Structures are given as structure tokens and as C-alpha cells.
């Protein structure tokens, strides 16, 4: 009998598969499972996690699948690694940001009288765009309502207010306008109330334009054929400052300060929602990730993407594949949502994708049911 000598095999293990690939795979699987579990528990509840847990949500699907694929190539010590990978896949399934039910929904019909609401973070308005092209893009959507964030330009490294109301009135004749801070709401329907949420207890702003920091929600009530609809145009503070070095104390101080500011704005928003008896559409750049604790602030509202959106409703960035969902839309249970679509704007206009909602409002409370004479 001929024996083949393996020079890499340890004494007594000649011809046996090596154990280290399985051990390495198990170690990686355990680390990933711990990360997924920590994200489920800590995100949106512990400020320090805001500077850690920014992996693209779809990674909660792709990483376990990659570990399972590697396990198929290993002959020894893979069973436990496979089990851990499956556990992390289960734990992370609701953190992926995916809505597989969209594959079964198809493209539902939209009633002719449905309300069209467009939400978009314009990213410093027309600062980096040809102004005529920018307005042409906005007008091409012919929305009943526009909820627009970052109606602003820059002065050096700071955001700065702008006044483009004359151009807006010329481009959108017949629309009603409301603006505070960085927010602009345009509506074909009459505006009956405008309220910028200015919560108490905020730290002094970091820029000379105080309203940019202190106003993060603009509520506008509109009259839609006798029914009041409350629109919440929203841009919540960032989770972190990407321009800072994460290895410095200044980075972590900034994360903590942003977290404190977010908490105050979240509470003010929640208090206003709880006191509001009207149907609600809330949309904007929330800087919230799928499957995180921050979503508890929107309890009682329905995620538009989960109702009628695409499989992967990521909105950031526009250049390259969108990996993060930072922009959201929520509606009251009484609002009937027909469709949510997400559109890539021209890259020179914004880094955020645009959200297009088609919805219908509940019938007025004082509307009488049809009589026998009214029925066909």
C-alpha cells in the first residue's frame, strides 16, 4: 500500500481535515451574532451605539448567508458555526429593512382621486444644481403636496437660510406655502394651520442659524375637501458627524450631544402626535434605521413601505447602490395607502431618493351613509 505524506499535517492527524477553518468560521459567526443581538437591544436606547451600529441593514441578511456558504466548503467543525449563523439570521431578519411581501402585492390600482404626496430631502436646495433643471424636476411630479427638507444653502461650513418664495410662487401657481427653518411644504389644498415644533431644553445651536437646529418638525394642517390632514415635514438630527475622527474624544462627545438633541425632538414629536386627532402623514429624513429602537417613537402610525412599498426601500445614497433607509413615510391607520414608490433624482440634485405616496383620506365624520335612493 502506498502512503501519501502531507507535510502540513500534525503528527497523528495525517490525512485528516484541518480544524482551524471551522474554528475561525465559528468565531466570526459568534461575533456577528453578538453584534446583531446588541443592535436589537441597544440601538436607539444607548447613545454610544449611534456611533457603532451603522452597518447597512441588508447586511443582516447577506452576512449570515455568506457564513452559511463558507460552511458548505468546510469539512470539519462546521455544525456549530452553521447553528450560530442561522440564529443570527433569525435575530437579524427584522433588521434587514426588506419587505418581501412586496413581491406578492404587485402594482395595485390607484384611484383617480387619490392624493399624491412627495417627500424629498433636496440637499441644500438648488445650490449644486442648475436652478431651472431643479425646478423642472420638482414640477414634473405634479404632486398635491410636497414635503421638502433642506430648503437652504451654505455659508462657508454652515447652513444658511434662503428666500426663494417669489420663484416658488411663480413655478407653483395656486399652491399654498408654509416654511420654517429648513422646511418647505407646498399644498394644492388650503393650509389651515402651521406649527413649527420648538422643544424646550435644547442645548445652544452649533451654528448662527438657530432655527436650523431648533426646528426639526414642521406641522402643517390642510383642508382636503372638508377633511383636515396633518402633515409632519420632518428632518431629525444626524446619528453622528461623519467628519470627525471616531478615535478621538471629540467624536464621542458629538455623538452624545446629537443623541440628547434627538431625544428631545423625538419627545416633542411624540407629544404632538398623541394630542392630534386628525389623520396624519409624517415623512422626511428621519435618520432612523430599520429594526432600531428609534422606531418606537412612531408607534400607532403605519410604515408606508411595509404597506405598499418596494422590497428594499433604501433612500441613501443616490450615487451608487442605496444601502441605508434614512427617509421614511408613516400614515395614520385611518389613511388608506395605495402605493409608495422611491425614485432616484438626478445625482446633481440630491444625495437622497424621493418618496412618492398615493393615498386616500377617510370619509368626513359628518358624511351620511348612502340611502336606498342613492344606491345604484
Amino acid at each position: 500500500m502506498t502512503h501519501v505524506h502531507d507535510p502540513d499535517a500534525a503528527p497523528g492527524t495525517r490525512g485528516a481535515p484541518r480544524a482551524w477553518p471551522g474554528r475561525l468560521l465559528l468565531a466570526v459567526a459568534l461575533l456577528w451574532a453578538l453584534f446583531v443581538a446588541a443592535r436589537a437591544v441597544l440601538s436607539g436606547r444607548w447613545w454610544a451605539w449611534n456611533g457603532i451600529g451603522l452597518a447597512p441593514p441588508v447586511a443582516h441578511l447577506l452576512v449570515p448567508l455568506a457564513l452559511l456558504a463558507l460552511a458548505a466548503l468546510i469539512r470539519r467543525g462546521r455544525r456549530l458555526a452553521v447553528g450560530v449563523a442561522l440564529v443570527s439570521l433569525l435575530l437579524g431578519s427584522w433588521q434587514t429593512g426588506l419587505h418581501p411581501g412586496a413581491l406578492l402585492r404587485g402594482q395595485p390600482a390607484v384611484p383617480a382621486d387619490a392624493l399624491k404626496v412627495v417627500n424629498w430631502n433636496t440637499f441644500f436646495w438648488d445650490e449644486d444644481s442648475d436652478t431651472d433643471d431643479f425646478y423642472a424636476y420638482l414640477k414634473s411630479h405634479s404632486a398635491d403636496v410636497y414635503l421638502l427638507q433642506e430648503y437652504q444653502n451654505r455659508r462657508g461650513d454652515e447652513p444658511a437660510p434662503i428666500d426663494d418664495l417669489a420663484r416658488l410662487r411663480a413655478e407653483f401657481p395656486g399652491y399654498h406655502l408654509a416654511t420654517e427653518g429648513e422646511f418647505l411644504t407646498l399644498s394644492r389644498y388650503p393650509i389651515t394651520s402651521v406649527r413649527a415644533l420648538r422643544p424646550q431644553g435644547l442645548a445652544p445651536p452649533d451654528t448662527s442659524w438657530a432655527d436650523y437646529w431648533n426646528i426639526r418638525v414642521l406641522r402643517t394642517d390642510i383642508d382636503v375637501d372638508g377633511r383636515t390632514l396633518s402633515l409632519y415635514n420632518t428632518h431629525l438630527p444626524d446619528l453622528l458627524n461623519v467628519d470627525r475622527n471616531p478615535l478621538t474624544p471629540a467624536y464621542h462627545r458629538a455623538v452624545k450631544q446629537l443623541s440628547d438633541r434627538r431625544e428631545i425632538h423625538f419627545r416633542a414629536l411624540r407629544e404632538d402626535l398623541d394630542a392630534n386627532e386628525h389623520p396624519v402623514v409624517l415623512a422626511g429624513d428621519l435618520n432612523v434605521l430599520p429594526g432600531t429602537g428609534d422606531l418606537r417613537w412612531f408607534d400607532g402610525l403605519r410604515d408606508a413601505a411595509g404597506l405598499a412599498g418596494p422590497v428594499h426601500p433604501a433612500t441613501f445614497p443616490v450615487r451608487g447602490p442605496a444601502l441605508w433607509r434614512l427617509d421614511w413615510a408613516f400614515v395614520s391607520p385611518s389613511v388608506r395607502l395605495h402605493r409608495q414608490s422611491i425614485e432616484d433624482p438626478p445625482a446633481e440634485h440630491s444625495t437622497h431618493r424621493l418618496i412618492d405616496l398615493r393615498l386616500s383620506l377617510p370619509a368626513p365624520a359628518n358624511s351620511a351613509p348612502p340611502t336606498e335612493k342613492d344606491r345604484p
Side-chain angles (χ1 to χ4, degrees):
M1 176 180 280
T2 303
H3 294 280
V4 178
H5 176 63
D6 181 1
D8 295 326
T13 62
R14 190 171 298 162
R18 297 188 180 101
W20 69 262
R23 292 171 182 167
L24 178 60
L25 182 65
L26 175 60
V28 174
L30 283 170
L31 287 173
W32 179 254
L34 289 172
F35 172 81
V36 172
R39 184 180 189 271
V41 173
L42 301 176
S43 63
R45 294 179 173 86
W46 182 42
W47 67 268
W49 190 262
N50 292 350
I52 300 172
L54 293 180
V58 74
H60 292 86
L61 171 67
L62 299 181
V63 171
L65 291 180
L67 293 173
L68 293 172
L70 289 173
L73 304 176
I74 296 174
R75 294 173 55 194
R76 182 179 176 188
R78 64 183 178 183
R79 185 175 302 175
L80 188 54
V82 167
V84 173
L86 289 174
V87 168
S88 68
L89 181 61
L90 180 63
L91 287 175
S93 59
W94 58 279
Q95 302 181 44
T96 62
L98 301 177
H99 295 278
L103 296 173
L104 305 176
R105 277 197 298 263
Q107 195 74 297
V110 176
D113 61 349
L115 198 67
K116 180 176 181 179
V117 178
V118 161
N119 172 82
W120 189 32
N121 180 335
T122 64
F123 196 68
F124 291 90
W125 202 240
D126 62 344
E127 183 179 74
D128 298 321
S129 310
D130 178 88
T131 299
D132 292 340
D133 288 347
F134 176 81
Y135 274 98
Y137 177 72
L138 273 180
K139 291 171 60 179
S140 70
H141 291 86
S142 191
D144 296 302
V145 171
Y146 291 87
L147 302 177
L148 305 173
Q149 300 95 51
E150 297 206 13
Y151 170 61
Q152 64 191 48
N153 283 165
R154 263 180 288 228
R155 187 179 298 118
D157 294 331
E158 293 189 354
I162 59 173
D163 182 359
D164 218 16
L165 295 182
R167 177 73 184 258
L168 282 161
R169 291 190 176 99
E171 297 284 356
F172 294 91
Y175 278 78
H176 306 267
L177 284 70
T179 180
E180 289 280 355
E182 63 162 282
F183 297 101
L184 174 66
T185 298
L186 303 173
S187 170
R188 292 189 195 272
Y189 296 92
I191 293 174
T192 59
S193 174
V194 177
R195 182 185 176 201
L197 302 192
R198 299 174 184 267
Q200 301 295 315
L202 290 169
D206 286 350
T207 69
S208 57
W209 184 21
D211 280 353
Y212 172 81
W213 283 96
N214 296 337
I215 300 174
R216 287 298 175 167
V217 180
L218 177 63
R219 172 180 165 179
T220 307
D221 291 359
I222 62 174
D223 183 343
V224 183
D225 301 327
R227 296 161 294 179
T228 297
L229 174 65
S230 292
L231 305 164
Y232 288 80
N233 192 350
T234 311
H235 187 184
L236 294 171
D238 293 335
L239 291 162
L240 53 82
N241 188 334
V242 295
D243 295 328
R244 293 182 183 269
N245 183 349
L247 301 179
T248 63
Y251 170 85
H252 298 284
R253 283 196 300 270
V255 170
K256 178 65 165 64
Q257 290 165 359
L258 285 169
S259 177
D260 291 343
R261 187 174 287 272
R262 283 168 63 86
E263 179 89 5
I264 293 172
H265 284 292
F266 272 131
R267 291 190 183 280
L269 174 59
R270 185 70 254 179
E271 289 173 4
D272 199 89
L273 288 170
D274 288 341
N276 191 348
E277 298 180 351
H278 302 305
V280 164
V281 174
L282 185 156
D285 180 359
L286 304 186
N287 284 306
V288 168
L289 296 177
T292 60
D294 286 330
L295 290 172
R296 71 187 185 279
W297 298 104
F298 306 98
D299 286 349
L301 300 177
R302 301 184 299 164
D303 177 11
L307 294 171
V311 174
H312 187 212
T315 62
F316 180 87
V318 168
R319 297 173 180 86
L323 298 176
W324 289 270
R325 184 184 181 191
L326 301 180
D327 307 82
W328 297 68
F330 291 91
V331 297
S332 296
S334 61
V335 173
R336 184 182 175 196
L337 186 68
H338 306 292
R339 185 183 302 167
Q340 175 188 287
S341 55
I342 296 177
E343 177 183 311
D344 264 330
E348 65 271 15
H349 290 340
S350 178
T351 57
H352 291 254
R353 292 181 170 185
L354 177 147
I355 298 175
D356 182 323
L357 302 173
R358 308 298 174 92
L359 53 91
S360 296
L361 300 185
N366 59 355
S367 62
T371 65
E372 289 296 330
K373 184 185 295 186
D374 297 325
R375 292 191 177 97

